[in-house]
Amino acid sequence: MKVTKKQIGITAAIALVLAGGGVTVGVVNHNNTVQAKQVQEQKAREAKIKAERAVEATAIKAIETAEKNPTDQNLKAADEAVAKVTNEKTKEGLLNNIGAIRARVKLENMAKSAVSTFQSDNGNSKKQENAQTAVNNLSSESKALKTDLQNKINASVKAREAAVAKAKADQAAQDKKETDAQTQATQQAQKDNTAQISEPQVTQGSQVPAQDNNTYYSQSQAATGQASAPNYTAPAAQTPAQSNPSNKGGGNAPAGWQSGTDADSLAKQEEAAQNAGTGNANNKQPGAKW
């Protein structure tokens, strides 16, 4: 069978069509492979970002816990959580937050220590000044602690003022007590002196008049009850020579003085008293008439 030119053209066209379809399939397959790879890479990037965000969230939560309760354990946990963050910018910010917490804790500890020191020695003005300065340095983040420490300072100041006032009152009371005691002693001494001056000075051998103006007896005899009723009578009248009171030195009684049964005995007693220097200044003899 003879092939015509027309048949040859048709066959060639079919061949070309078949060849083009193969190329298209190859291109499609290549594109699908590239796209799949891109999807995988995108998923990997998304997973990495998600993991990074989770690490950052864990670090932030640890910092918040340390901020609320800044114990050594919580601060250490915050440090470890921040160390896992890969984003350098984010990591730097988190480290700054931890540094601020540590600085705040340092100021709080200083304030606590200063206030405690002042409480143990509230009379020391320098310690009070240090405590007040430390409390003033606390930030608003330490508001509750700042209020508590300030109340402790105020209480210590009031306690000191109360102690000072009590000491002054006690001293004033003691001074008054001593002054009153001294005043009372002085008044008692004055009373005693007045009583001694007002009392009659009684000495052995002094003479007091008896109920009978003409009869005298010894004070010593009156003290012992022996002269309650003297047994003698008034002496007889004496001559001027016998009654001359020239014996002023405490000498013997006038020679003419005698009367009664006990006159000699009484005269001797009076004479002994006068010779001892305790007689009447004018040496007047009992019963004598001048």
Side-chain angles (χ1 to χ4, degrees), residues 126-179:
K126 183 62 177 178
K127 292 181 180 179
Q128 178 183 355
E129 181 181 353
N130 293 339
Q132 190 62 62
T133 300
V135 170
N136 292 340
N137 288 337
L138 296 178
S139 64
S140 58
E141 296 178 351
S142 306
K143 183 178 180 180
L145 177 63
K146 186 175 184 178
T147 300
D148 180 62
L149 294 179
Q150 186 63 56
N151 289 337
K152 290 181 178 180
I153 291 176
N154 296 340
S156 294
V157 171
K158 289 182 179 179
R160 178 190 64 199
E161 292 175 348
V164 171
K166 185 178 183 302
K168 290 182 178 180
D170 291 344
Q171 185 61 47
Q174 182 64 26
D175 293 343
K176 185 178 184 302
K177 182 178 180 181
E178 294 177 356
T179 301

Side-chain angles (χ1 to χ4, degrees), residues 79-148:
D79 287 334
E80 293 174 351
V82 172
K84 296 177 182 179
V85 176
T86 57
N87 187 294
E88 294 299 329
K89 186 175 182 180
T90 303
K91 186 174 185 178
E92 182 181 357
L94 295 176
L95 289 175
N96 289 337
N97 291 338
I98 295 177
I101 294 174
R102 292 186 184 278
R104 175 171 64 86
V105 171
K106 183 178 180 179
L107 291 176
E108 289 178 352
N109 290 337
M110 290 176 61
K112 290 177 183 178
S113 177
V115 172
S116 177
T117 300
F118 172 57
Q119 284 180 307
S120 62
D121 187 13
N122 60 11
N124 192 313
S125 59
K126 183 62 177 178
K127 292 181 180 179
Q128 178 183 355
E129 181 181 353
N130 293 339
Q132 190 62 62
T133 300
V135 170
N136 292 340
N137 288 337
L138 296 178
S139 64
S140 58
E141 296 178 351
S142 306
K143 183 178 180 180
L145 177 63
K146 186 175 184 178
T147 300
D148 180 62

Side-chain angles (χ1 to χ4, degrees), residues 11-290:
T11 301
I14 292 172
L16 289 174
V17 171
L18 292 174
V23 172
T24 299
V25 172
V27 171
V28 171
N29 289 335
H30 175 73
N31 289 338
N32 289 338
T33 302
V34 172
Q35 186 177 3
K37 184 178 180 179
Q38 289 176 348
V39 171
Q40 291 177 353
E41 290 176 350
Q42 181 64 28
K43 288 182 178 179
R45 285 194 296 270
E46 290 177 356
K48 184 178 180 180
I49 292 173
K50 185 177 181 179
E52 178 64 21
R53 289 176 178 175
V55 171
E56 292 176 358
T58 300
I60 292 173
K61 185 176 181 179
I63 291 174
E64 290 176 350
T65 301
E67 187 175 11
K68 293 178 181 178
N69 187 19
T71 63
D72 293 339
Q73 183 178 357
N74 289 341
L75 287 171
K76 182 180 180 181
D79 287 334
E80 293 174 351
V82 172
K84 296 177 182 179
V85 176
T86 57
N87 187 294
E88 294 299 329
K89 186 175 182 180
T90 303
K91 186 174 185 178
E92 182 181 357
L94 295 176
L95 289 175
N96 289 337
N97 291 338
I98 295 177
I101 294 174
R102 292 186 184 278
R104 175 171 64 86
V105 171
K106 183 178 180 179
L107 291 176
E108 289 178 352
N109 290 337
M110 290 176 61
K112 290 177 183 178
S113 177
V115 172
S116 177
T117 300
F118 172 57
Q119 284 180 307
S120 62
D121 187 13
N122 60 11
N124 192 313
S125 59
K126 183 62 177 178
K127 292 181 180 179
Q128 178 183 355
E129 181 181 353
N130 293 339
Q132 190 62 62
T133 300
V135 170
N136 292 340
N137 288 337
L138 296 178
S139 64
S140 58
E141 296 178 351
S142 306
K143 183 178 180 180
L145 177 63
K146 186 175 184 178
T147 300
D148 180 62
L149 294 179
Q150 186 63 56
N151 289 337
K152 290 181 178 180
I153 291 176
N154 296 340
S156 294
V157 171
K158 289 182 179 179
R160 178 190 64 199
E161 292 175 348
V164 171
K166 185 178 183 302
K168 290 182 178 180
D170 291 344
Q171 185 61 47
Q174 182 64 26
D175 293 343
K176 185 178 184 302
K177 182 178 180 181
E178 294 177 356
T179 301
D180 292 345
Q182 184 176 3
T183 301
Q184 184 176 4
T186 301
Q187 292 175 348
Q188 185 62 40
Q190 291 176 349
K191 290 180 179 179
D192 294 342
N193 291 337
T194 302
Q196 292 177 359
I197 294 174
S198 61
E199 290 179 355
Q201 299 297 322
V202 179
T203 58
Q204 186 176 1
S206 60
Q207 298 172 346
V208 295
Q211 295 179 352
D212 185 355
N213 292 333
N214 294 324
T215 306
Y216 292 84
Y217 58 93
S218 170
Q219 181 65 35
S220 60
Q221 290 176 327
T224 58
Q226 296 176 356
S228 58
N231 296 321
Y232 60 91
T233 58
Q238 297 177 342
T239 63
Q242 292 174 333
S243 61
N244 183 11
S246 61
N247 189 9
K248 296 182 180 181
N252 296 329
W257 184 81
Q258 283 187 357
S259 177
T261 57
D262 293 334
D264 293 338
S265 175
L266 181 60
K268 291 179 180 180
Q269 292 179 8
E270 294 296 338
E271 180 180 353
Q274 291 176 358
N275 289 333
T278 59
N280 186 279
N282 293 324
N283 199 23
K284 296 180 179 180
Q285 301 301 326
K289 294 183 181 181
W290 306 92

